[in-house]
Amino acid sequence: MTITTNFTHHQTAHCESGAVANLISHHGVKMSEAMAFGIGAGLFFGYLPFLRLNNLPLITYRSIAGSIIKRVTKALDIEVVSATYRNQAKAMVELDQLLDQGIPVGLQTGAFWLPYFPKAYRFHFNMHNLVVVGREGNEYVISDPVFPELVRCDRHSLMKARFAKGTMSPKGKMYYFKDVPPCDDFAPLILKGIESVSNAMLKTPIPILGVRGIRFLANRMEKWPRKFGLQRANLHLGQVVRMQEEIGTGGAGFRFIYAAFLQEAANHCHHDELLALSARMTEVGDHWRHFAVLAARNCKGRAEADEGYPAIADKLRQCAQLEESIYLDFRSLYS
Amino acid sequence: MLEKDVPQDDGMAEGLESVCYAVDEKGDYVLVPSVGWDAKQVANDQAWDLINEEIENVRQQVLLGKKSILAYHMVKKLMDISLLAEYVGFSRLKVWLHTKPGFFARTSANVRQRYAQVLEISVEELTDLAQLESNTK
């Protein structure tokens, strides 16, 4: 038995914005990943040392998992049906029923149990998003946004992935779109998205979030070698890079996606200012990448004398400085 | 990042291409496939080295009789006590006790079955200490 939903798969850089963009496009409103990321106000920063991943502090470069979907669908007035489950069998049966009706279904899953993931990426990480687009007997056809082609996954593994446990466990979460109204003017949604990002990064109630969070991390980072010893400090630093570059494309990646969004937004809003801001955001992304290179050199013990912890902390401060000026300039767009 | 600067360092992704956002010569954003990046690889290797070190540590302790074989299979699946407890549905205390050889030896077939199922191994594998000795890696 073969069931398909005629879903067009586009590979994207980030799972959540990719899944939601592909789903919205499937329902007739053409939307790029960058646009979904921007309208969904995905850009963020947070240093959360009290949350642990592999015993090291959690750093996030984007807004909390699920918020992009929530914001985009709300902005476009899309009716979303979503559910979480206690009963695993029931969660699979309801997924099957939707597929039978030809509806592609978005899932939040863990990465560890997905057999098609390369082994090096299989950590207990629960914020992955994918879209199930068909089924062949016991095998599901999946549009995983970060993979180049459609992938396949057996029923047992998919069930395990849907009910992965640990931090932010998905609890079988699935969602699909019921009613997607046509939308031909993104401009107001774009400006609203930009405003949310600007506020989230600048008006932070606690010092570990937003631009303040980047500076906070820089200050802490400088003290790591003294506090933990060089070896453990390097592990912390590696974690920062790993969170930045790997887990869902990370910091620099997100800055580039956002720059792409600003560029696309310039077409929609007819605002040349946005093009200049896009170029500046690209520059910030480049600095984040440079930071990752320096950090990796430190981890390998190959850093030059002037590339040690004070230097990388300064690099972070530079990122914070540049980002802050961009977010401040965002204000002129919507006020 | 310019299109031509998108890193193409082959490594952990096993040839899997991910996409990067980069700027082409006209300054427009394009999606560029990338097979990997060394900076990323360093961080990923570091995480796995740490995990493998931990696995080897626990393996030695199991062989010395300080921990049960369950502890070995737990770290092999990158789990800790609270994560494993959540998966099997036992209390953390109970799982912690089961990582001690004496307590694990007294577990029922039923309990072992539950652990084996969660860890995706057979019950034989879960109790096969000899295999641990030969397994030097």
Side-chain angles (χ1 to χ4, degrees):
Chain A
M1 185 173 56
T2 310
I3 294 153
T4 62
T5 52
N6 297 321
F7 190 82
T8 316
H9 173 74
H10 290 287
Q11 189 183 11
T12 59
H14 170 52
C15 63
E16 187 177 335
S17 50
V20 69
N22 283 344
L23 271 170
I24 291 175
S25 299
H26 174 81
H27 286 277
V29 179
K30 289 285 163 254
M31 185 182 275
S32 69
E33 178 197 18
M35 191 47 78
F37 188 74
I39 292 178
L43 202 67
F44 191 55
F45 183 88
Y47 170 58
L48 310 169
F50 46 87
L51 289 181
R52 295 266 143 174
L53 208 71
N54 303 324
N55 265 323
L56 293 164
L58 188 116
I59 297 122
T60 178
Y61 297 82
R62 50 127 163 166
S63 52
I64 188 168
S67 75
I68 298 178
I69 295 174
K70 221 183 259 169
R71 286 219 181 93
V72 174
T73 51
K74 207 175 155 200
L76 284 154
D77 221 0
I78 295 169
E79 194 182 329
V80 190
V81 186
S82 73
T84 53
Y85 298 87
R86 283 191 153 183
N87 184 326
Q88 307 200 359
K90 187 176 166 218
M92 295 310 278
V93 169
E94 293 199 357
L95 170 64
D96 291 346
Q97 284 168 351
L98 288 169
L99 291 173
D100 289 345
Q101 295 167 39
I103 301 171
V105 185
L107 298 180
Q108 187 195 337
T109 67
F112 188 77
W113 305 106
L114 291 173
Y116 58 84
F117 256 60
K119 193 178 171 294
Y121 290 123
R122 287 172 73 176
F123 292 98
H124 292 284
F125 171 73
N126 288 332
M127 288 156 270
H128 191 56
N129 278 275
L130 50 83
V131 183
V132 184
V133 299
R135 182 162 65 96
E136 272 175 38
N138 249 339
E139 233 184 16
Y140 290 88
V141 182
I142 292 171
S143 160
D144 191 311
V146 293
F147 281 73
E149 308 286 339
L150 290 176
V151 287
R152 282 156 186 276
C153 179
D154 62 280
R155 187 187 184 85
H156 175 75
S157 302
L158 188 64
M159 187 160 93
K160 265 201 129 151
R162 291 183 70 185
F163 287 92
K165 302 279 200 278
T167 317
M168 311 276 287
S169 56
K171 301 187 182 69
K173 182 171 179 194
M174 81 182 189
Y175 50 91
Y176 63 95
F177 296 169
K178 221 175 184 174
D179 181 36
V180 181
C183 177
D184 39 20
D185 185 16
F186 284 158
L189 316 180
I190 287 167
L191 293 179
K192 224 174 152 207
I194 291 177
E195 186 176 352
S196 320
V197 165
S198 171
N199 284 341
M201 291 298 288
L202 294 176
K203 295 183 184 167
T204 40
I206 37 176
I208 56 173
L209 305 178
V211 171
R212 285 166 80 195
I214 305 177
R215 298 208 171 102
F216 188 91
L217 174 62
N219 292 341
R220 279 291 173 93
M221 189 175 279
E222 242 175 342
K223 292 180 194 137
W224 282 346
R226 236 182 314 147
K227 193 169 167 197
F228 302 119
L230 195 59
Q231 202 187 1
R232 190 142 175 85
N234 283 348
L235 289 177
H236 276 71
L237 194 57
Q239 170 91 341
V240 178
V241 177
R242 220 158 59 75
M243 299 296 297
Q244 175 181 336
E245 289 303 330
E246 185 180 303
I247 299 178
T249 71
F254 286 127
R255 268 65 193 165
F256 291 131
I257 300 176
Y258 204 77
F261 155 70
L262 291 173
Q263 193 170 71
E264 214 184 315
N267 288 329
H268 287 276
C269 302
H270 311 289
H271 230 312
D272 284 342
E273 176 73 12
L274 281 165
L275 284 177
L277 287 165
S278 165
R280 281 164 67 191
M281 191 54 91
T282 305
E283 198 194 326
V284 170
D286 288 334
H287 281 291
W288 277 105
R289 277 174 58 81
H290 190 209
F291 162 77
V293 170
L294 289 178
R297 251 179 236 162
N298 272 283
C299 292
K300 288 210 106 178
R302 283 197 201 137
E304 309 280 330
D306 56 349
E307 290 177 347
Y309 277 76
I312 45 178
D314 276 342
K315 192 83 211 168
L316 270 186
R317 290 191 191 103
Q318 195 184 356
C319 292
Q321 174 66 37
L322 290 169
E323 283 199 23
E324 187 171 36
S325 73
I326 295 176
Y327 302 132
L328 284 170
D329 288 349
F330 276 169
R331 292 180 171 175
S332 65
L333 293 169
Y334 51 81
S335 59
Chain B
M1 181 167 52
L2 292 171
E3 193 178 357
K4 63 174 172 52
D5 294 335
V6 171
Q8 305 291 350
D9 308 326
D10 210 353
M12 62 186 175
E14 298 165 15
L16 173 81
E17 290 189 333
S18 52
V19 291
C20 292
Y21 282 78
V23 181
D24 68 9
E25 66 270 21
K26 279 182 289 175
D28 292 332
Y29 261 95
V30 281
L31 282 168
V32 187
S34 159
V35 292
W37 187 30
D38 281 341
K40 208 161 139 174
Q41 179 82 45
V42 167
N44 189 279
D45 286 349
Q46 196 191 37
W48 281 105
D49 285 347
L50 199 65
I51 290 161
N52 288 330
E53 208 175 288
E54 166 84 359
I55 292 172
E56 180 54 26
N57 251 337
V58 173
R59 192 181 76 91
Q60 295 296 344
Q61 281 180 304
V62 175
L63 292 177
L64 289 171
K66 287 186 180 155
K67 280 190 175 169
S68 77
I69 185 166
L70 176 69
Y72 171 76
H73 286 291
M74 177 178 85
V75 294
K76 228 180 154 199
K77 285 287 187 295
L78 276 55
M79 293 187 190
D80 56 14
I81 293 199
S82 57
L83 187 59
L84 182 58
E86 228 187 299
Y87 269 108
V88 286
F90 296 154
S91 72
R92 276 183 294 183
L93 175 66
K94 193 164 172 180
V95 173
W96 179 75
L97 287 173
H98 288 163
T99 61
K100 308 288 162 203
F103 285 96
F104 187 68
R106 275 183 274 157
T107 48
S108 67
N110 186 13
V111 165
R112 287 176 190 196
Q113 178 62 38
R114 273 170 80 170
Y115 279 124
Q117 218 168 10
V118 163
L119 296 166
E120 305 248 289
I121 52 178
S122 63
V123 178
E124 292 75 52
E125 229 179 310
L126 181 63
T127 47
D128 184 12
L129 262 169
Q131 174 231 355
L132 218 61
E133 260 165 80
S134 58
N135 187 359
T136 49
K137 187 79 186 116

